[in-house]
Amino acid sequence: MSTEAGIDQGRAAFREHRWTDAFENFLDADRRGGLPAADLERLATAEILTGNTTAGLETLTRAHEEFLEVGDVAGAARCAGWMGIQLSNLGEMARAGGWLARGQRLATELDELHAVQGLLLMPQGLGKLYGGDPAGALEVFTRAAEIARLAQDRDVAALALLGTGQANLMLGRPNEGLKILDEVMVAVTSGELSPIPSGIGYCAVIGNCHLAYDLARAMEWTIALDRWCQARPDMVAFSGQCQSHRAELFRLHGAWAEALKAAAAAQDRSTRGDPQALFGGWYEQGEVHRQAGNIAAAEVSYRKAAESGYEPQPGLALLTLARGDAVQAHSMIRRAAGVADTATRRHLLPALVEIELAAGDLAAARGGADELDAFAGECPMPMVTAVARQARGTVNLAEGEAAAASRLLRQAWRLWFELGVPHEAARCRVLIACACRELGDESSAAMDLEAAHAEFLELGAAPAAAWAASLMQHPASTQEGPLTAREREVLRLVASGKGNRAIAAELYLSEKTVARHLSNIFLKLGVTSRAAATSYAYEHGLAG
């Protein structure tokens, strides 16, 4: 194939989003006779999208040099800007800064306004955004948007709009911010943008929807991102982030096995060309393990998530609380919430309320609930309202206002149920049961506890199941607690030191049936080992 034919085929594949074909044809043409600057830039894009990031950055450097060679200063500055952005995503801040400085220097040589000047403002805006100055970021993104408007560049316009939406969220203006993010997605889904800005837009918008508790938007855009990725099966970049968003949705909706699979896929893609998936893949795995009671595995996952540079909160603080260290959990969540921007702080508030109550600071818990109430007033979306009602109801319960707590918690339960978030719905039912018990309604309390306990067992949420089971053991109940008669027999034999085969022989059961009983015992008691189950048996008089 001639060099010209290879270039033509590469361009056609690039237009049709066949990134591997584009990469192979451009690379072959480059080896035969070299590529012009614009096609080197396309080759770099195809390499980055297929996970060949190192090669892509090398090719982008060549494109930059070729643009300079032919006197295209704007093209050279654009390549320098994208080099800086890509290196920033990889955490190579010194190299990123050098390339951005070069791009900015070249941009000053332009005789007239050009879109690249707006592109080169993006890192500055993001630096302010994540450096605690969202108001300053908003000013930068507004300047970039004006440059993009005058230069009629859709990519830069969308990126500036994306930054503007994020800044509004961080400034505590969720309705305005989310509307702007929807506008970004109109540009993305209509195919107006080039591939890398499209992927950035998808992933950033979905992440911010989760941050703002807009579950419906997050689900809608995640489905759209999934379709976008599936239409580009050889694309690695952004596909890992898609999997981490899917993992979060699966986890919230109680599909924990699917959540773990999606999280593992995100982790895999994070090592193959989508580094931004590192945090989400490991954090979501940690969340599933924490709620399932796998403390050690959760801690490992959170530590891996932290390698991304982002804090694994509030999960790590809640894990610390689950380990019985309320003092440390208290310090962790207060510090994290204290330094967070408005949007991130709101994301941390439910855990803050829970941990403040566990630490005995009722006033601080009440303050957190007040903030969530204010947020719900500004942005009355179902998930925000559910979070706020649950927090306020929990605080009311701690204050002895059982009637008010019951009313608010039932509202929260209904919202969680309608949203399809079973773990939080079941937690609300346990709290409702506590309120009923305080009001002397033991029958309703028992009904809600039984329903919550069954839901936790179905999810595999061992700690929560044990919490519900402990409350089912009212003073009037027997020592046996949540176990069936057969499960108590199995536990008694476990406590005597017998293995599954010996237990099966003594009770005339199959080993498979004994293993199933033992699994149910572990779930109901919130334990993960035979030793812990044995301790429970001795503590509750079931080992005789």
Side-chain angles (χ1 to χ4, degrees):
M1 185 189 302
S2 68
T3 300
E4 293 76 13
I7 291 173
D8 288 343
Q9 290 196 18
R11 289 172 181 171
F14 192 91
R15 286 193 301 270
E16 295 165 9
H17 307 146
R18 292 183 286 111
W19 308 122
T20 299
D21 289 345
F23 159 71
E24 290 175 349
N25 280 287
F26 279 135
L27 190 61
D28 182 64
D30 188 37
R31 287 169 177 162
R32 288 175 180 274
L35 292 173
D39 290 313
L40 281 172
E41 190 175 6
R42 293 186 184 100
L43 171 58
T45 299
E47 287 172 326
I48 290 168
L49 288 172
T50 53
N52 300 301
T53 305
T54 300
L57 294 178
E58 291 173 357
T59 305
L60 195 57
T61 301
R62 289 179 56 206
H64 165 79
E65 293 167 351
E66 186 67 23
F67 276 123
L68 285 178
E69 185 70 24
V70 299
D72 187 340
V73 176
R78 182 178 60 252
C79 289
W82 279 113
M83 281 288 292
I85 292 169
Q86 291 290 342
L87 289 166
S88 295
N89 288 339
L90 294 171
E92 298 185 35
M93 306 312 295
R95 288 180 66 198
W99 276 103
L100 292 169
R102 174 176 287 194
Q104 288 158 359
R105 177 180 59 76
L106 289 170
T108 62
E109 299 177 12
L110 296 171
D111 294 330
E112 56 187 35
L113 187 74
H114 195 281
V116 72
Q117 294 162 337
L119 176 67
L120 289 163
L121 286 173
M122 293 300 127
Q124 180 186 344
L126 291 171
K128 288 182 178 293
L129 191 68
Y130 296 111
D133 183 13
L138 187 57
E139 293 178 6
V140 174
F141 290 129
T142 301
R143 291 205 307 274
E146 179 61 14
I147 292 170
R149 185 185 68 79
L150 294 172
Q152 297 185 325
D153 189 288
R154 289 177 172 178
D155 283 348
V156 176
L159 292 173
L161 204 59
L162 177 63
T164 300
Q166 291 177 285
N168 274 283
L169 285 178
M170 290 187 175
L171 287 166
R173 299 195 284 261
N175 283 324
E176 186 174 348
L178 289 167
K179 286 178 182 176
I180 292 171
L181 294 181
D182 280 344
E183 190 176 346
V184 173
M185 294 309 294
V186 168
V188 172
T189 55
S190 64
E192 295 176 7
L193 309 185
S194 54
I196 290 180
S198 292
I200 290 172
Y202 264 124
C203 295
V205 167
I206 295 167
N208 280 278
C209 287
H210 281 293
L211 196 64
Y213 293 105
D214 195 332
L215 190 58
R217 264 190 179 93
M219 185 178 301
E220 180 179 346
W221 294 130
T222 299
I223 292 169
L225 173 58
D226 199 21
R227 286 198 298 263
W228 188 71
C229 290
Q230 287 180 8
R232 298 155 176 82
D234 54 352
M235 184 177 70
V236 174
F238 309 112
S239 61
Q241 294 169 72
C242 176
Q243 292 296 328
S244 68
H245 293 314
R246 293 178 75 242
E248 184 170 13
L249 289 175
F250 279 133
R251 175 180 60 80
L252 286 171
H253 291 303
W256 289 358
E258 289 83 354
L260 289 174
K261 289 178 185 176
Q267 294 160 22
D268 174 65
R269 292 301 176 100
S270 76
T271 65
R272 297 200 289 122
D274 191 7
Q276 296 298 306
L278 176 65
F279 177 81
W282 285 105
Y283 184 80
E284 287 306 317
Q285 179 174 293
E287 287 291 88
V288 174
H289 285 317
R290 176 178 64 81
Q291 292 182 334
N294 302 322
I295 302 298
E299 184 169 5
V300 169
S301 297
Y302 290 140
R303 290 189 182 280
K304 294 290 289 185
E307 291 178 7
S308 69
Y310 296 101
E311 280 198 83
Q313 297 292 6
L316 186 57
L318 291 169
L319 181 70
T320 304
L321 181 65
R323 300 179 79 161
D325 193 348
V327 174
Q328 179 61 26
H330 193 216
S331 298
M332 291 171 74
I333 197 66
R334 276 198 168 185
R335 181 200 52 76
V339 300
D341 58 78
T342 301
T344 304
R345 179 177 172 83
R346 285 169 169 170
H347 184 69
L348 298 174
L349 282 174
L352 178 71
V353 171
E354 181 178 347
I355 294 170
E356 293 287 6
L357 287 173
D361 194 334
L362 188 54
R366 189 184 306 116
D370 288 342
E371 288 186 61
L372 283 169
D373 282 340
F375 181 27
E378 295 170 17
C379 194
M381 293 180 293
M383 192 170 180
V384 179
T385 304
V387 165
R389 296 287 186 272
Q390 184 172 346
R392 176 61 65 191
T394 307
V395 171
N396 283 349
L397 189 60
E399 291 174 327
E401 300 177 11
S406 179
R407 176 177 55 81
L408 290 167
L409 290 166
R410 287 197 183 279
Q411 292 173 3
W413 171 81
R414 171 56 63 184
L415 288 166
W416 287 125
F417 179 79
E418 291 172 353
L419 287 166
V421 182
H423 191 269
E424 289 307 310
R427 289 187 73 227
C428 279
R429 293 203 77 168
V430 174
L431 295 168
I432 290 166
C434 293
C436 288
R437 184 167 284 167
E438 288 293 320
L439 294 167
D441 185 356
E442 187 58 42
S443 296
S444 295
M447 178 182 65
D448 282 312
L449 285 171
E450 288 170 7
H453 186 251
E455 185 65 62
F456 288 138
L457 287 177
E458 185 174 343
L459 285 170
W467 173 45
S470 69
L471 294 171
M472 290 165 70
Q473 298 174 45
H474 195 251
S477 69
T478 65
Q479 280 186 310
E480 289 83 1
L483 303 181
T484 66
R486 178 62 85 184
E487 288 164 352
R488 290 195 298 276
E489 284 185 289
V490 171
L491 179 58
R492 176 178 59 80
L493 294 170
V494 167
S496 72
K498 293 186 176 181
N500 285 12
R501 180 174 296 180
I503 295 171
E506 183 158 340
L507 298 180
Y508 300 99
L509 300 172
S510 70
E511 285 189 59
K512 185 176 180 180
T513 300
V514 171
R516 187 179 71 247
H517 282 313
L518 197 55
S519 177
N520 288 337
I521 290 166
F522 284 3
L523 271 175
K524 289 182 178 182
L525 302 184
V527 300
T528 57
S529 68
R530 298 173 84 94
T534 297
S535 296
Y536 179 95
Y538 277 100
E539 289 168 7
H540 293 77
L542 300 176

